[in-house]
């Protein structure tokens, strides 16, 4: 309520403040009163306003009281409407599986170490990574590349048995064109034009069989990763969302470290898309449970869904390097730093953790379905036993009556 609002003569140049209950509202009337001020006073401290302004202040005081009353009525209506909102409406369209991963899997982070590379304008090229199949047969791929004759295989360390590195036989420009093939079904192009990338992907389709499960082209393009790279003086590094390669010596292994992280990222993107499709396929179960409807699903279907979950979990946690650094970087600290920095840039650890959390939730739902089907099966068996007992009792009664 409004308490003891008066005009104070010595404070004519301040904005006035009105206290309503526990709230405080400040108003300014510089145009009408020349910044006349109001201040809270007790009855004993009451001072009469300036006589020349009494009539004008009275009208302004009346308008102020009307504004205050409107403010109180508006707050009362808002509180009542909030209290009358049904709680069940909040949860009406919320499902535990309505979660989607962000479209952008990485964000450019400003790196102070790379600011000195902004000043001189350097020529830049593009590196692009794709995941085209579940895996590659590296021996078949190497033979096919040699027969094609467009690329030559490069000698790699012995502990890189799961990777093929090739360079173009016919150079175009000053920068070489190189490709890294990884056994988990990923390929990374360094300075390869778009038309040549499409040709290589078409070539890979011929060596991909049903055993390694080629991915759909639309999905492959959607989950691709692309970055810019250039050369600098000094050690190779990642900065400002770009790859900086050492210009002093061979950069083959540095490119491999960058390519390894990018290949892992696009492969994880394919698995994320698979999990999203799985979540969409079982979303109706949570909706039916929330609505109290009957769940019509067979035990065989539940077993198949559970198998899909464990197969995906096996790929992520056991058959990939998402949870650990490959042994190749054990005695190569500079390459390990590049690999880890690239993994942080692509948010690989965070995305893996989110996927495992989603998989855990889906496994809990699958266990719930299996428990529900087991309960239904047990109830059927109990009713069958009751029916058989009733038949036996009927026969006994009939035999007793005949005697």
């Amino acid at each position: 309520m409004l308490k003891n609002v008066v005009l104070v003569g010595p404070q004519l140049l301040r904005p006035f403040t009105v206290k309503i209950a526990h709230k405080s509202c400040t108003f300014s009337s510089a145009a009408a009163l020349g910044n006349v001020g109001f201040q809270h006073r007790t009855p004993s401290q009451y001072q009469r306003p300036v006589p020349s302004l009494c009539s004008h202040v009275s009208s302004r005081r009346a308008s102020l009281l009307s504004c205050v009353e409107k403010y109180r009525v508006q707050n009362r209506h808002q509180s009542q409407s909030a209290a009358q909102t049904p709680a069940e409406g909040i949860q009406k369209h919320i499902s535990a599986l309505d979660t989607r991963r962000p479209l952008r899997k990485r964000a450019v982070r400003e790196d102070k170490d790379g600011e000195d590379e902004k000043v001189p304008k350097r020529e830049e090229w593009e590196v692009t990574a794709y995941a085209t199949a579940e895996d590659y047969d590296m021996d078949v791929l190497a033979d096919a590349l040699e027969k094609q004759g467009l690329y030559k295989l490069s000698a790699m360390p012995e502990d890189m048995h799961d990777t093929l590195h090739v360079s173009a036989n016919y150079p175009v420009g000053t920068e070489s064109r190189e490709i890294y093939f990884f056994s988990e079904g990923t390929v990374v192009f360094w300075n390869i034009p778009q038309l040549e990338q499409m040709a290589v992907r078409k070539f890979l389709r011929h060596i991909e069989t049903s055993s390694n499960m080629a991915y759909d082209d639309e999905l492959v393009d959607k989950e691709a990763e692309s970055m810019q790279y250039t050369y600098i003086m000094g050690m190779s590094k990642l900065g400002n969302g770009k790859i900086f390669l050492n210009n002093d010596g061979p950069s083959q292994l540095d490119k491999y470290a960058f390519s390894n992280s990018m290949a892992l990222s696009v492969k994880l993107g394919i698995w994320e898309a698979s999990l999203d499709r799985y979540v969409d396929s079982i979303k109706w179960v949570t909706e039916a449970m929330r609505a109290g409807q009957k769940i019509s699903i067979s035990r065989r279907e539940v077993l198949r869904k559970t198998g899909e979950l464990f197969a995906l979990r096996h790929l992520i946690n056991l058959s990939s390097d998402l949870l650990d650094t490959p042994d190749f970087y054990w005695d190569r600290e500079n390459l390990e730093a590049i690999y880890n920095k690239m993994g942080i840039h692509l948010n690989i650890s965070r995305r893996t953790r989110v996927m495992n959390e989603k998989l855990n939730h889906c496994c809990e739902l699958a266990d719930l379905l299996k428990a529900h089907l087991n309960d239904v099966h047990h109830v059927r068996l109990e009713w069958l036993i009751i029916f058989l007992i009733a038949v036996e009792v009927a026969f006994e009664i009939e035999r007793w009556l005949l005697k």
Side-chain angles (χ1 to χ4, degrees):
M1 58 183 294
L2 187 64
K3 302 190 297 184
N4 302 325
V5 179
V6 299
L7 177 68
V8 181
Q11 300 181 5
L12 294 177
L13 298 180
R14 296 184 183 177
F16 56 87
T17 302
V18 176
K19 291 189 177 180
I20 308 167
H22 63 283
K23 297 185 179 179
S24 178
C25 306
T26 302
F27 302 87
S28 177
S29 58
L33 296 175
N35 293 332
V36 175
F38 285 90
Q39 185 177 2
H40 173 69
R41 288 290 186 270
T42 61
S44 62
Q45 295 175 327
Y46 178 80
Q47 300 180 17
R48 295 188 59 83
V50 181
S52 60
L53 295 177
C54 284
S55 60
H56 194 68
V57 168
S58 297
S59 61
R60 295 302 300 168
R61 185 172 182 271
S63 62
L64 171 63
L65 290 174
S66 63
C67 292
V68 169
E69 185 65 24
K70 290 180 181 179
Y71 176 78
R72 294 175 59 189
V73 172
Q74 182 181 2
N75 283 347
R76 187 183 304 115
H77 289 325
Q78 290 179 355
S79 300
Q80 292 175 356
S81 61
Q84 294 174 358
T85 302
E88 61 271 14
I90 300 176
Q91 299 290 338
K92 185 175 181 180
H93 299 292
I94 295 181
S95 173
L97 295 176
D98 279 339
T99 56
R100 289 293 181 271
R101 59 192 173 97
L103 295 180
R104 290 185 62 86
K105 298 184 290 295
R106 55 183 172 85
V108 175
R109 295 181 172 86
E110 293 295 331
D111 190 355
K112 295 182 179 180
D113 295 338
E115 291 181 356
D116 54 344
E117 281 78 30
K118 293 182 180 179
V119 179
K121 186 64 178 179
R122 296 181 175 87
E123 187 176 2
E124 294 181 353
W125 299 270
E126 188 176 46
V127 51
T128 307
Y130 298 96
T132 64
E134 196 68 33
D135 54 45
Y136 294 147
D137 189 334
M138 304 306 287
D139 295 332
V140 174
L141 179 59
D143 294 338
L145 288 171
E146 290 182 354
K147 292 179 181 178
Q148 189 186 39
L150 296 178
Y151 303 94
K152 59 181 178 181
L153 295 174
S154 302
M156 301 296 287
E158 294 182 357
D159 50 354
M160 287 178 57
H161 56 275
D162 59 344
T163 307
L164 286 179
H165 173 252
V166 299
S167 57
N169 285 327
Y170 308 98
V172 177
T174 57
E175 175 64 10
S176 61
R177 308 195 315 278
E178 303 176 43
I179 306 175
Y180 288 86
F181 298 94
F182 293 88
S183 60
E184 61 266 18
T186 55
V187 55
V188 183
F189 299 99
W190 290 79
N191 189 33
I192 302 293
Q194 189 67 29
L195 290 177
E196 189 173 353
Q197 292 181 19
M198 298 302 296
V200 173
R201 288 173 55 183
K202 187 176 180 180
F203 164 78
L204 290 174
R205 282 283 186 259
H206 295 294
I207 65 172
E208 292 168 353
T209 61
S210 58
S211 60
N212 51 29
M213 295 176 59
Y215 300 140
D216 183 67
D217 288 334
E218 183 178 356
L219 178 62
V220 171
D221 293 331
K222 181 180 179 181
E223 301 299 334
E225 286 283 356
S226 182
M227 296 181 66
Q228 300 294 321
Y229 76 95
T230 186
Y231 290 90
I232 60 171
M233 300 296 294
M235 297 181 62
S236 300
K237 60 181 180 180
L238 177 70
N240 299 330
K242 295 180 182 179
I243 297 174
F244 298 94
L245 296 174
N246 183 12
N247 197 22
D248 294 336
S251 58
Q252 187 181 56
L253 293 180
D254 295 345
K255 287 183 177 180
Y256 168 79
F258 287 113
S259 301
N260 198 357
S261 291
M262 294 185 69
L264 202 59
S265 177
V266 294
K267 194 67 175 182
L268 180 58
I270 296 292
W271 291 334
E272 288 172 334
S274 300
L275 182 57
D276 289 342
R277 290 194 300 269
Y278 181 89
V279 168
D280 291 336
S281 67
I282 63 174
K283 181 181 177 181
W284 67 271
V285 176
T286 57
E287 296 294 335
M289 293 172 63
R290 184 179 61 85
Q293 301 174 355
K294 182 180 179 180
I295 301 176
S296 300
I297 187 172
S298 63
R299 299 174 66 90
R300 183 175 183 180
E301 184 69 13
V302 172
L303 182 61
R304 188 176 66 85
K305 289 293 184 181
T306 306
E308 291 179 9
L309 276 179
F310 280 96
L312 188 56
R313 175 177 283 183
H314 178 85
L315 290 173
I316 294 173
N317 298 307
L318 300 179
S319 300
S320 68
D321 295 323
L322 290 172
L323 301 179
D324 195 10
T325 303
D327 295 338
F328 173 78
Y329 303 103
W330 181 261
D331 55 349
R332 299 176 176 91
E333 295 182 357
N334 58 329
L335 298 180
E336 183 180 5
I338 293 175
Y339 175 84
N340 292 331
K341 185 78 176 288
M342 195 69 172
I344 295 174
H345 175 68
L346 297 173
N347 294 325
I348 292 178
S349 297
R350 181 180 63 85
R351 291 160 58 195
T352 304
R353 184 174 63 254
V354 170
M355 276 204 69
N356 278 318
E357 291 176 357
K358 290 183 178 181
L359 286 171
N360 291 335
H361 177 78
C362 292
C363 287
E364 291 177 1
L365 182 59
D367 293 338
L368 182 61
L369 287 176
K370 288 190 292 185
H372 172 72
L373 291 178
N374 289 333
D375 291 341
V376 172
H377 181 66
H378 293 161
V379 169
R380 289 176 180 175
L381 290 179
E382 289 173 0
W383 278 108
L384 180 59
I385 293 172
I386 292 173
F387 174 75
L388 292 176
I389 293 174
V391 171
E392 182 68 20
V393 170
F395 279 116
E396 290 295 332
I397 292 174
E398 182 182 6
R399 185 178 305 139
W400 181 77
L401 292 176
L402 290 177
K403 289 182 179 179

